[in-house]
Amino acid sequence: MLSLALLSSGAVNAAPKPPKSVRLYVFDCGSIKGLATSTFDLKPEEVTAKGFVVPCYLVVHPKGTMMWDVGVIPDSMFKADGAPVTQGISTVTKPLLPQLAAIGYTPADIKYLALSHYHSDHDANANSFAGSTWLVRKEDRDVMFAEKPAGIIQPTHYSGLKNSKTVILDKDEYDVFGDGTVVIKSAPGHTPGHQVLFLKFKKDGPVLVAGDLYHYPEERTLNRFPSFEFNKEQSAVSRKNIDEFLKKTHAQIWIEHDQATFDKLKKAPEYYQ
Ligand SMILES: [Zn+2]
């Protein structure tokens, strides 16, 4: 009887069966309001959006799972009543882990964690995935664990990653599951180890999740750069390289913070495949 009970409780807690081809779930991880458009070298009348969204993403591949970007405010800041949490200019209405749980996943089911970069609006729940294998570039990791991390950075978000199993990515492309459907590409400049995510869906076609290569789509059309780039010249080269990559792959680009892009996306429990 005991083994039966264990078996059935195991079945209840098990992650969903791996899919036949790669899937992507998109979650609402909050919003950022009130940043001056001049921070992005744009006049207010040059932009359409009134602020930014913060998405989180779960990649589910036949061979495993990967979180890509994990929010702006940690789930731990939510009170028992579940009311929205505001910190400075950021607001989160739904914590991340319950959104994951709603589609059947817990952090223990997540094989890899990758962040587009270390800014605090991308890594809030990183500590929840300290048991996953962290895919990171040395240039970003070095800043994160510098003696005095500087810039848009919140070490309490990711302190647990220090001893995580880590793979240092040192090539232009890192093929996460070895079949070309989930590829992390180097795109430095916004931060020294900034990276973007290429996904090749069987049904929905190729997509590039662009991290903060751009924030407002107008940065792309008007060729503007944020004032807080780690290295603007490097960003310009990355943008050019990614443009060529988009041409070559015919991938669509998703600018993570862009409200118009986000509004049109399918959100979990729906998924891309
Ligand atoms: Zn950002």
Side-chain angles (χ1 to χ4, degrees):
M1 279 320 278
L2 181 64
S3 61
L4 248 184
L6 282 174
L7 261 181
S8 65
S9 77
V12 170
N13 295 327
K17 203 164 83 198
K20 288 208 166 61
S21 67
V22 66
R23 284 184 185 178
L24 180 77
Y25 293 92
V26 180
F27 305 99
D28 173 1
C29 275
S31 61
I32 302 173
K33 297 245 153 62
L35 270 178
T37 58
S38 59
T39 310
F40 304 88
D41 195 22
L42 289 160
K43 297 191 182 75
E45 62 270 25
E46 286 177 322
V47 305
T48 341
K50 294 278 175 285
F52 294 139
V53 288
V54 180
C56 296
Y57 309 85
L58 170 65
V59 176
V60 184
H61 184 275
K63 286 189 183 157
T65 53
M66 181 180 85
M67 288 302 299
W68 174 264
D69 284 355
V70 289
V72 60
I73 298 175
D75 285 9
S76 57
M77 299 308 290
F78 277 81
K79 304 245 166 22
D81 65 1
V85 178
T86 295
Q87 275 186 347
I89 55 173
S90 306
T91 298
V92 175
T93 55
K94 296 180 230 178
L96 173 59
L97 296 195
Q99 295 189 69
L100 275 181
I103 55 165
Y105 295 89
T106 69
D109 304 316
I110 307 303
K111 190 166 185 183
Y112 300 110
L113 168 69
L115 307 169
S116 58
H117 63 298
Y118 58 69
H119 284 163
S120 56
D121 56 316
H122 295 260
D123 64 4
N125 289 294
N127 283 337
S128 294
F129 304 96
S132 309
T133 297
W134 185 26
L135 307 178
V136 62
R137 287 176 200 273
K138 182 176 186 299
E139 294 83 351
D140 260 26
R141 194 184 183 282
D142 284 351
V143 174
M144 294 166 82
F145 292 107
E147 213 168 298
K148 283 183 187 156
I152 308 163
I153 197 158
Q154 182 46 264
T156 57
H157 285 177
Y158 60 75
S159 51
L161 301 186
K162 190 160 191 178
N163 300 313
S164 289
K165 194 172 162 203
T166 300
V167 177
I168 298 287
L169 313 189
D170 57 2
K171 304 269 181 337
D172 173 43
E173 296 189 353
Y174 182 78
D175 186 347
V176 180
F177 298 101
D179 65 355
T181 60
V182 182
V183 176
I184 299 176
K185 264 187 86 64
S186 177
H190 187 59
T191 64
H194 180 270
Q195 47 191 8
V196 298
L197 175 64
F198 174 70
L199 299 162
K200 207 166 160 185
F201 298 115
K202 208 167 180 180
K203 180 160 165 254
D204 294 308
V207 169
L208 186 93
V209 184
D212 283 6
L213 191 65
Y214 308 94
H215 303 71
Y216 288 110
E218 288 84 357
E219 286 166 55
R220 190 163 185 233
T221 48
L222 302 173
N223 193 31
R224 307 289 171 78
F225 293 85
S227 59
F228 56 99
E229 296 295 88
F230 163 75
N231 182 328
K232 218 172 269 188
E233 287 71 39
Q234 216 178 24
S235 299
V237 172
S238 289
R239 286 181 176 189
K240 193 173 157 277
N241 289 344
I242 295 301
D243 269 344
E244 281 162 15
F245 179 79
L246 292 172
K247 242 180 243 156
K248 188 181 84 185
T249 56
H250 305 288
Q252 47 174 313
I253 181 172
W254 292 355
I255 299 173
E256 295 192 21
H257 288 308
D258 178 35
Q259 183 82 54
T261 299
F262 184 77
D263 286 348
K264 279 183 241 144
L265 293 184
K266 286 186 256 194
K267 316 297 183 310
E270 287 185 86
Y271 52 84
Y272 289 86
Q273 65 178 334

